[in-house]
Amino acid sequence: MKTVINDTTIHYEVNGSGTPMLIIHGLAQNIDSMQIPLMPVLAAANIQQIYVELPGMGESSANIGVASSDAILALLETFINQIIGDQPFYVVGHSYGGYLALGLIHDWPTRILGAFLTCPVTIADAPDRHVAHHYVAVQTDFPVKYNQDAFAAFKDMNVNLNADAWSAYQLQILPGLQQADRDFIHLLRKHYQFSFESSLMQTPFKQPVTLLLGRQDNIVGFQDQLPLLNNFSRLTLGIVDRAGHNLSQDQPKLFKDYWRHFLTSINNDAFTPHAE
């Protein structure tokens, strides 16, 4: 599906029915990075999953007029009003998508029902972040038959280097990197910081939040997000060992377990248990 907002074509996909949940991918990614790991987890949930592709990423157009975090947040809020309407909703975000999700909570703390954040950006300027030291926890030998030029980037970010993680990287991460408009991303990085970043984590929020951080995340780290504990009164925190920035690939079972906990916490009716 596509809609046009402020001369920007936004691609999105909707799965399931129930309470709306806006799902936002990371920088230079597309909806594959979120749909592939989440759709199996949410298959039994009474949730309307709304996967949105940000400007200049995936199939959404690269309008330089919205190449700033403030502009993208405003565009997302218009998108929400257009697609979701005035209903309350959940928000999910990974990395830069987590930054935008926090922006939505900052602006609409009473409208959002809960949030699931993985490795969110909280400090836009990378040199100011406290990042973790990357190391390889597990490495197994496996053939690299395709996308050999992307294997170095996989090794630099993932912590568990095995065939399953490499396969997930190729399915979830690589397509977004290949689709992203490099000129747009370059311009966005120059205007990456919210104008209100200093107060981003100071908004009191009383709804359930799950925050997952990789103990070996060398992109956003695991320390700068901890002030959220001061104002998010129902926050569940997981600092996951042997996990980097691509946490769902490094620790897929733990990722699913935390999602099941979140679905139970937001609504006992949101998840229908089934045999596995």
Side-chain angles (χ1 to χ4, degrees):
M1 300 179 183
K2 292 185 178 180
T3 187
V4 178
I5 300 170
N6 298 336
D7 299 321
T8 306
T9 300
I10 297 297
H11 173 244
Y12 67 101
E13 293 187 12
V14 179
N15 298 104
S17 60
T19 306
M21 176 179 282
L22 181 69
I23 302 171
I24 314 169
H25 60 74
L27 187 69
Q29 288 299 290
N30 66 11
I31 58 176
D32 293 339
S33 65
M34 304 301 279
Q35 271 189 328
I36 293 172
L38 286 182
M39 284 185 66
V41 179
L42 295 172
N46 299 320
I47 295 290
Q48 182 189 51
Q49 307 156 47
I50 303 169
Y51 299 87
V52 61
E53 289 187 322
L54 301 173
M57 299 169 236
E59 296 180 30
S60 294
S61 65
N63 175 6
I64 61 171
V66 295
S68 74
S69 290
D70 281 350
I72 289 177
L73 180 62
L75 184 147
L76 274 179
E77 290 177 348
T78 301
F79 173 84
I80 291 163
N81 287 331
Q82 184 180 113
I83 303 302
I84 297 177
D86 58 2
Q87 299 179 74
F89 64 97
Y90 301 104
V91 64
V92 178
H94 174 72
S95 191
Y96 181 57
Y99 190 62
L100 294 167
L102 288 170
L104 290 170
I105 292 171
H106 174 275
D107 287 358
W108 293 342
T110 61
R111 187 172 172 188
I112 295 173
L113 297 170
F116 195 105
L117 309 173
T118 54
C119 310
V121 172
T122 55
I123 297 176
D125 290 339
D128 294 335
R129 299 173 188 166
H130 299 87
V131 300
H133 174 69
H134 176 268
Y135 83 99
V136 175
V138 175
Q139 183 166 5
T140 59
D141 293 329
F142 58 91
V144 180
K145 297 180 180 179
Y146 308 104
N147 300 310
Q148 294 173 345
D149 56 338
F151 192 66
F154 163 73
K155 292 194 295 182
D156 287 344
M157 190 173 292
N158 285 56
V159 172
N160 296 322
L161 307 183
N162 54 48
D164 287 343
W166 172 233
S167 176
Y169 184 90
Q170 293 177 89
L171 291 172
Q172 298 172 26
I173 304 299
L174 198 53
L177 292 173
Q178 293 170 338
Q179 275 189 304
D181 186 296
R182 291 295 158 189
D183 291 336
F184 182 89
I185 299 297
H186 178 73
L187 185 58
L188 173 58
R189 285 188 180 277
K190 293 183 177 180
H191 306 279
Y192 206 43
Q193 186 179 74
F194 284 139
S195 58
F196 55 89
E197 185 179 274
S198 62
S199 63
L200 181 63
M201 293 187 283
Q202 296 177 11
T203 303
F205 189 59
K206 299 179 180 180
Q207 302 298 338
V209 176
T210 293
L211 172 62
L212 289 187
L213 305 169
R215 184 63 178 79
Q216 288 79 39
D217 188 329
N218 62 337
I219 303 300
V220 302
F222 64 91
Q223 299 177 68
D224 296 328
Q225 300 82 359
L226 298 183
L228 289 170
L229 287 165
N230 297 326
N231 293 302
F232 284 25
S233 59
R234 295 188 61 193
L235 187 146
T236 296
L237 172 65
I239 301 177
V240 183
D241 187 32
R242 294 192 168 190
H245 196 59
N246 293 331
L247 187 147
S248 68
Q249 298 164 26
D250 281 325
Q251 295 290 348
K253 183 180 183 303
L254 268 175
F255 177 77
K256 293 174 185 176
D257 288 344
Y258 272 98
W259 258 103
R260 291 188 177 100
H261 176 270
F262 176 71
L263 290 171
T264 301
S265 70
I266 60 176
N267 187 339
N268 289 331
D269 296 327
F271 185 74
T272 304
H274 59 282
E276 295 187 354

